[in-house]
Amino acid sequence: MEHQVLTPHVYWAQRHHELYLRVELSDVQNPAISITENVLHFKAQGHGAKGDNVYEFHLEFLDLVKPEPVYKLTQRQVNITVQKKESQWWERLTKQEKRPLFLAPDFDRWLDESDAEMELRAKEEEQLNKLRLESQGSPETLTSLKKGYLFMYNLVQFLGFSWIFVNMTVRFFILGKESFYDTFHTVADMMYFCQMLAAVESINAAIGVTKTPVVPSLFQLLGRNFILFIIFGTMEEMQNKAVVFFVFYIWSTVEIFRYPFYMLSCIDMDWKVLTWLRYTVWIPLYPMGCLAEAVSVIQSIPVFNETGRFSFTLPYPVKIKVRFSFFLQIYLILLFLGLYVNFRYLYKQRRRRFGQKKKKIH
């Protein structure tokens, strides 16, 4: 006995770039679904409104579609997805204006045009964000790269300042006070390298690679480099003075504890002895370093006055000679202001790290 050919109930919805059709047939067998000449052809054995039968229908679409329909069988229905050739909103599904009796809107998936546009924009934005994340790398990868970069920077600085510290210490034990007067010629090149590289710390703070405040970092960088490049570097008369030894020795002593502490922080290690030293040695050394720098500036004032270096005369009609020593006197004030800024910042760090000891009330 031949099966009667019947039409199933079909429900449809759309988005800007595709069409969705839901065919109400259960237990479907041998579905034949194709698109030829912009017409969807469906034929399948299944259980529908008229019982177990062969059901079929044909739909000529309103506009052009791609001839590769995708379908998925479930126990209760057949879901068909058809791609539009152009991403646009259709006013209806079929070319004929009168809707076929077996066709109805799928209200489970139905959206009006404005809602569909919002959904489309949300999907596009999600894809863009995904591509952006892929191009930038995952947060874990970026964190690992940042830690590796900071570890290598701190390692290089630690090795540089350690070389300076060991070199000066050995020379002092061998030569005694005589080593004071040729310190600059012995370690200046390495000190130049380390202090130029220290500019990276201020850049890291400025762009957010590290959480260090920019102002204290910049005060220390500019202060040290002014002493190194201007006071010592430009005046040969200053390079043979004993104060150079004390300035360089105090700088390197501070850094041989600071940089390894940061290195271990990059790999999430906390060595308690090193941590205590990092947050304690600066208490005597920073004021001593500031005092040594102030002495070097004071000793350089008569040298700059005698040579006239960096001094200038204001143009006519003023014609006043401005000595560089005037700026050095201003710098002395800024030097102690910088000491206050750094001391205050480091004190807060130490208090945050170790906490305040609370007195017991009896």
Side-chain angles (χ1 to χ4, degrees):
M1 182 179 176
E2 292 186 3
H3 290 285
Q4 183 183 2
V5 177
L6 300 169
T7 304
H9 293 298
V10 180
Y11 300 90
W12 79 285
Q14 67 169 318
R15 299 295 184 268
H16 283 81
H17 57 284
E18 59 190 2
L19 302 164
Y20 307 116
L21 292 99
R22 175 164 55 88
V23 184
E24 287 294 305
L25 280 181
S26 59
D27 303 322
V28 171
Q29 299 174 8
N30 306 319
I33 304 170
S34 62
I35 295 176
T36 53
E37 297 181 356
N38 219 49
V39 176
L40 174 68
H41 305 279
F42 178 93
K43 185 176 183 180
Q45 174 81 33
H47 190 85
K50 299 293 183 179
D52 191 19
N53 258 305
V54 174
Y55 292 84
E56 66 176 286
F57 66 89
H58 309 279
L59 286 173
E60 185 175 4
F61 294 113
L62 175 66
D63 212 332
L64 296 177
V65 297
K66 295 180 181 179
E68 301 92 15
V70 176
Y71 68 89
K72 183 179 180 182
L73 300 175
T74 70
Q75 192 173 358
R76 299 179 59 184
Q77 61 198 30
V78 181
N79 294 313
I80 304 171
T81 302
V82 179
Q83 299 291 326
K84 297 177 181 178
K85 275 203 171 179
E86 293 183 7
S87 181
Q88 60 183 349
W89 196 256
W90 290 5
E91 62 181 19
R92 61 180 184 274
L93 179 64
T94 59
K95 191 169 185 178
Q96 65 182 59
E97 291 188 17
K98 187 177 180 181
R99 178 174 59 83
L101 295 176
F102 64 87
L103 187 65
D106 185 352
F107 290 109
D108 290 338
R109 304 194 70 170
W110 193 265
L111 290 177
D112 59 29
E113 187 175 1
S114 59
D115 290 337
E117 285 178 353
M118 288 177 64
E119 183 186 72
L120 182 63
R121 281 197 295 270
K123 285 183 179 179
E124 289 174 348
E125 189 174 342
E126 185 181 346
Q127 289 177 343
L128 284 173
N129 289 335
K130 187 177 178 182
L131 289 171
R132 196 179 295 116
L133 284 173
E134 288 175 355
S135 64
Q136 292 175 349
S138 66
E140 293 79 8
T141 303
L142 292 175
T143 301
S144 298
L145 287 173
K146 185 175 82 169
K147 284 185 175 182
Y149 153 70
L150 291 174
F151 182 88
M152 290 305 300
Y153 166 77
N154 289 302
L155 175 61
V156 170
Q157 287 286 57
F158 170 64
L159 293 174
F161 279 107
S162 294
W163 184 89
I164 294 170
F165 179 82
V166 171
N167 186 297
M168 292 176 68
T169 303
V170 170
R171 285 176 57 81
F172 175 73
F173 278 110
I174 294 174
L175 302 174
K177 292 181 181 179
E178 293 298 319
S179 67
F180 291 176
Y181 305 104
D182 62 352
T183 297
F184 187 87
H185 302 288
T186 308
V187 300
D189 289 340
M190 182 60 74
M191 187 62 80
Y192 278 139
F193 171 78
C194 291
Q195 282 306 127
M196 285 190 290
L197 188 60
V200 171
E201 291 180 45
S202 296
I203 295 169
N204 288 341
I207 63 177
V209 175
T210 60
K211 295 179 180 179
T212 307
V214 179
V215 174
S217 173
L218 204 57
F219 258 92
Q220 178 167 302
L221 174 71
L222 296 177
R224 284 190 179 183
N225 284 346
F226 180 81
I227 298 295
L228 177 62
F229 289 95
I230 303 299
I231 303 299
F232 297 154
T234 63
M235 303 300 291
E236 289 186 16
E237 295 88 340
M238 291 298 301
Q239 294 171 7
N240 296 320
K241 293 187 179 293
V243 70
V244 178
F245 175 90
F246 294 101
V247 170
F248 284 7
Y249 203 73
I250 291 169
W251 286 358
S252 59
T253 305
V254 170
E255 305 304 12
I256 61 173
F257 296 115
R258 188 167 72 96
Y259 285 117
F261 169 79
Y262 288 142
M263 281 168 51
L264 294 181
S265 297
C266 291
I267 55 176
D268 300 319
M269 285 184 64
D270 183 16
W271 186 22
K272 290 183 179 180
V273 174
L274 182 62
T275 301
W276 185 86
L277 287 169
R278 184 265 177 275
Y279 285 104
T280 306
V281 293
W282 62 267
I283 297 174
L285 291 179
Y286 263 57
M288 289 170 60
C290 184
L291 183 62
E293 291 173 28
V295 169
S296 68
V297 172
I298 292 168
Q299 289 184 352
S300 72
I301 288 175
V303 179
F304 279 105
N305 283 339
E306 186 180 338
T307 61
R309 181 163 292 182
F310 303 133
S311 298
F312 58 92
T313 303
L314 294 174
Y316 179 85
V318 182
K319 287 190 175 181
I320 296 174
K321 187 173 184 179
V322 180
R323 293 182 178 274
F324 186 62
S325 57
F326 170 73
F327 297 102
L328 292 178
Q329 290 165 20
I330 295 174
Y331 176 77
L332 283 172
I333 299 171
L334 295 176
L335 182 64
F336 287 98
L337 176 63
L339 172 66
Y340 169 75
V341 171
N342 273 325
F343 210 92
R344 187 168 176 267
Y345 166 66
L346 289 169
Y347 174 72
K348 284 184 177 179
Q349 271 196 323
R350 191 177 195 279
R351 189 173 59 178
R352 194 181 304 121
R353 185 78 184 192
F354 297 116
Q356 289 177 296
K357 293 182 179 180
K358 296 180 179 179
K359 294 181 179 180
K360 293 182 179 179
I361 300 173
H362 297 285

